[in-house]
Amino acid sequence: MSEAGYMPLMSNPEYPDGLVGPLSEIGTDGECEDSREIDPTSGVKRGLKTRHLSMMALAGIIGPGLLVGAGGALASGGPASLLIGFAVIGIIAFSIMQSLGELTTLYPSGGAFTSLADRFVDKAFGVAVGWYYFIIWFAVLSNEYNAVTSILVFWSDKVPVWGYFLILWTLFLGFQLLGVETFGEAEFWLALIKLLGLVMFFLFSIVYASGGINGTEGIGFKYWHDPGPFVEGFRGVATVFVFCSTFYAGCESIAVAATETKNPRVAVPHAIRQVFWRIIFIYLGSAFFFGLTCPSNAEDLVNGGSRALQSPMTIAIQNAGWEGGVHLINAFILITCISAINSSIYIASRTILFMAQDGKAPKFLGGTNKRGVPVAAVVFTNACGALSLMNISTGASRAYSYIVNLSGVATFLVWGGISFTHIRFRSAWKAQGYREQDLPFVSFWYPLNAYFGLGANIFLAFVQGWTTLSPFDAGNFVDAYILLPLFPLIYFGFKLVFRTRFWRAEEIDLQSGRRRDLDEIKELTTGELGGHQTLWQRFMKNL
């Protein structure tokens, strides 16, 4: 027994990945806990398949943040800054996902990293991380409603912005209440469409830049020379970091979805591997081709009209001579908005659901119906999307910038919290006599990777708003830094009121929240889980 009173898990060749014993302990009703479709702790349904989670990790959250917001980043920093920003934040995101993969594969329990922060650090820390994660997603959700209403108003202004919002709000609410299987299947196909759309734009960019379009000259790397690779030097690069962190937000969402996944020990590592391809293909590819085909000084990037948002893709197609191409791009962005709004409501509602069940949010948000749908949490989350209506008075582009700053800073703090939680977990794992090889997923380069993620995110959280200091802009300064002091206020406030403790490594619970895959027998037979795999199986697994 460990000092904390928990039986250390020993390796057992019959049961892979450091887990021992039969598929599960038997519940009080005689049913195996891990064979239930409804999670006995959180009440949600385990309905997501491995391919659903993998596609969510790869393309699920691609939306107006990337396709439209990249225009603001390009205008602020230039094509080189955009590429640098995506690369640097991509390295940090990869680090965070390695930490998250190790934690979530072992503990695919309700609450994801917010509940794990309770167990491995301090419940007050979990409260702060949880609420900041919710801030990210209601901000992202608002931006996506902002984008989709702007597109619809661009096509027809006979319906006001608030009218389009109410119509969409009702439709998305109804869809979310259909259940997690419907959500997962829709996200799989919508994500596939998004990937195909990006591939088509990348091919167009190559043809356009090389002079393959009739009536236009090849532009090559023209926009890297005029107006140039950078806008305002390092100042522009620093500004781009906030945009890029918002674009990457969502790669960690697989931890939230793990509870509703049938086979997390197979699905989570699969999804973690997809993040590498997401960084290389989607983000770095988009940054390169946006900067190649769209000038950073294009007026419409940030001033595309009081009610319209302009994408670098739109401007590129118009510059290539196809004015009507704006409707094609807007249709593509509309599809990505549908998917991204759907994902945002899902992630935010599950976050607030698990927090309510842990006593970190109002209790009424913690219930589910008999089909495992958190109705109250979904309605509450969707209602938060009304923040997008600030574009009625400020304009879509300006509203987008305000909300991006909030979600960007929150992303840095949440990611830093994930890294710190991982460090605390490993300290407890070692202190209680466990071995690294007993982990079902081992993160790369621990502890260097985890400490890098922690340090990089703290650094970026503090420096992301330094451009507001000279010349000093009070409004932008508050927008950039208001969330920094709020984090310690939530942490110490909750700690003082509820007298929470910072756990010692020897007393941390390393047992709760573990479960087996619903299809484990099949996975063991096919070699997906443990056992020998052929070269083809290993190739497909990593692809």
Side-chain angles (χ1 to χ4, degrees):
M1 298 283 285
S2 69
E3 293 183 27
Y6 303 111
M7 180 69 72
L9 295 178
M10 305 300 294
S11 295
N12 187 334
E14 184 179 356
Y15 302 101
D17 298 335
L19 293 175
V20 297
L23 291 183
S24 178
E25 297 295 329
I26 302 298
T28 56
D29 57 357
E31 182 184 4
C32 290
E33 295 281 355
D34 291 339
S35 65
R36 295 179 179 176
E37 286 195 347
I38 299 295
D39 183 72
T41 303
S42 62
V44 296
K45 187 173 183 179
R46 298 165 176 170
L48 291 176
K49 300 177 182 178
T50 299
R51 63 182 176 89
H52 294 156
L53 198 67
S54 293
M55 194 60 84
M56 285 175 63
L58 183 62
I61 202 60
I62 295 174
L66 175 65
L67 304 182
V68 177
L74 181 61
S76 299
S81 296
L82 189 63
L83 202 56
I84 292 169
F86 272 116
V88 172
I89 303 299
I91 294 171
I92 297 173
F94 181 80
S95 167
I96 300 307
M97 292 307 297
Q98 288 299 308
S99 293
L100 202 57
E102 187 169 293
L103 292 170
T104 306
T105 306
L106 191 62
Y107 303 108
S109 54
F113 45 83
T114 60
S115 66
L116 295 180
D118 292 358
R119 289 168 51 187
F120 302 144
V121 186
D122 182 343
K123 184 165 186 176
F125 186 74
V127 169
V129 170
W131 277 108
Y132 266 61
Y133 196 57
F134 183 75
I135 287 173
I136 293 173
W137 287 107
F138 95 70
V140 171
L141 175 62
S142 300
N143 266 334
E144 287 153 357
Y145 271 128
N146 175 23
V148 71
T149 53
S150 298
I151 291 172
L152 295 175
V153 168
F154 175 81
W155 279 336
S156 175
D157 58 3
K158 293 182 179 180
V159 177
V161 170
W162 62 265
Y164 280 124
F165 173 79
L166 289 177
I167 293 170
L168 292 168
W169 191 91
T170 304
L171 292 175
F172 280 110
L173 177 63
F175 186 81
Q176 283 286 327
L177 297 181
L178 292 177
V180 71
E181 294 106 332
T182 306
F183 162 79
E185 200 63 31
E187 277 307 293
F188 177 83
W189 293 107
L190 287 171
L192 190 59
I193 292 172
K194 289 188 284 188
L195 288 177
L196 293 175
L198 281 177
V199 169
M200 296 303 294
F201 178 75
F202 293 170
L203 293 176
F204 156 79
S205 299
I206 294 171
V207 174
Y208 175 39
S210 58
I213 297 179
N214 291 333
T216 62
E217 296 181 0
I219 58 173
F221 283 85
K222 173 184 176 181
Y223 300 134
W224 279 69
H225 299 287
D226 180 20
F230 294 99
V231 175
E232 294 191 276
F234 181 75
R235 185 186 184 94
V237 176
T239 304
V240 168
F241 282 147
V242 178
F243 281 96
C244 291
S245 65
T246 305
F247 305 155
Y248 275 102
C251 60
E252 76 292 318
S253 63
I254 61 172
V256 178
T259 306
E260 293 179 87
T261 303
K262 288 186 174 184
N263 308 303
R265 284 198 294 146
V266 169
V268 172
H270 268 294
I272 294 295
R273 295 184 185 98
Q274 304 308 317
V275 172
F276 174 79
W277 298 110
R278 179 176 180 173
I279 293 169
I280 297 297
F281 173 75
I282 296 174
Y283 292 121
L284 293 184
S286 297
F288 175 76
F289 287 115
F290 288 169
L292 182 69
T293 58
C294 178
S296 59
N297 61 355
E299 179 68 18
D300 286 342
L301 281 179
V302 290
N303 296 311
S306 61
R307 296 293 180 266
L309 283 168
Q310 289 283 7
S311 166
M313 300 169 71
T314 304
I315 295 171
I317 286 184
Q318 288 177 325
N319 289 345
W322 186 20
E323 287 295 329
V326 63
H327 299 293
L328 175 65
I329 298 301
N330 276 349
F332 177 57
I333 295 174
L334 182 64
I335 292 173
T336 68
C337 285
I338 292 171
S339 172
I341 291 173
N342 207 28
S343 293
S344 297
I345 297 173
Y346 171 81
I347 298 166
S349 65
R350 270 47 177 190
T351 299
I352 201 71
L353 167 76
F354 299 141
M355 289 173 61
Q357 293 173 345
D358 285 343
K360 303 172 192 170
K363 187 176 181 181
F364 78 93
L365 297 172
T368 60
N369 63 17
K370 62 182 181 181
R371 295 184 297 109
V373 179
V375 178
V378 168
V379 174
F380 174 76
T381 298
N382 202 21
C384 290
L387 182 65
S388 65
L389 295 179
M390 68 184 291
N391 70 7
I392 293 176
S393 59
T394 64
S397 298
R398 188 177 295 274
Y400 185 91
S401 297
Y402 287 150
I403 303 173
V404 158
N405 282 337
L406 292 177
S407 57
V409 176
T411 299
F412 291 138
L413 294 174
V414 169
W415 283 4
I418 292 172
S419 294
F420 186 60
T421 301
H422 183 211
I423 292 168
R424 292 286 298 154
F425 159 71
R426 276 299 193 100
S427 297
W429 191 256
K430 181 178 180 181
Q432 296 185 29
Y434 297 97
R435 303 175 304 170
E436 183 178 272
Q437 55 265 40
D438 290 333
L439 294 168
F441 181 96
V442 179
S443 67
F444 283 132
W445 306 313
Y446 184 87
L448 180 63
N449 209 17
Y451 280 101
F452 166 75
L454 176 61
N457 281 292
I458 292 175
F459 174 76
L460 288 175
F462 278 96
V463 305
Q464 48 80 31
W466 74 274
T467 57
T468 65
L469 300 176
S470 179
F472 182 73
D473 186 311
N476 289 336
F477 176 82
V478 170
D479 193 32
Y481 284 109
I482 189 172
L483 289 184
L484 279 183
L486 186 60
F487 192 94
L489 282 175
I490 294 174
Y491 174 73
F492 288 110
F494 192 91
K495 191 172 184 64
L496 289 173
V497 173
F498 294 96
R499 305 290 182 181
T500 61
R501 294 184 57 229
F502 189 92
W503 301 110
R504 297 196 309 270
E506 295 78 11
E507 62 185 2
I508 288 174
D509 176 10
L510 295 175
Q511 305 297 326
S512 303
R514 306 181 70 170
R515 72 174 176 90
R516 312 304 292 258
D517 289 357
L518 294 183
D519 299 328
E520 183 166 302
I521 300 299
K522 177 182 177 182
E523 292 167 348
L524 289 170
T525 303
T526 59
E528 285 185 276
L529 188 62
H532 175 73
Q533 291 184 323
T534 66
L535 180 62
W536 175 251
Q537 286 175 320
R538 292 198 300 271
F539 172 76
M540 292 302 296
K541 183 177 181 179
N542 284 280
L543 181 62

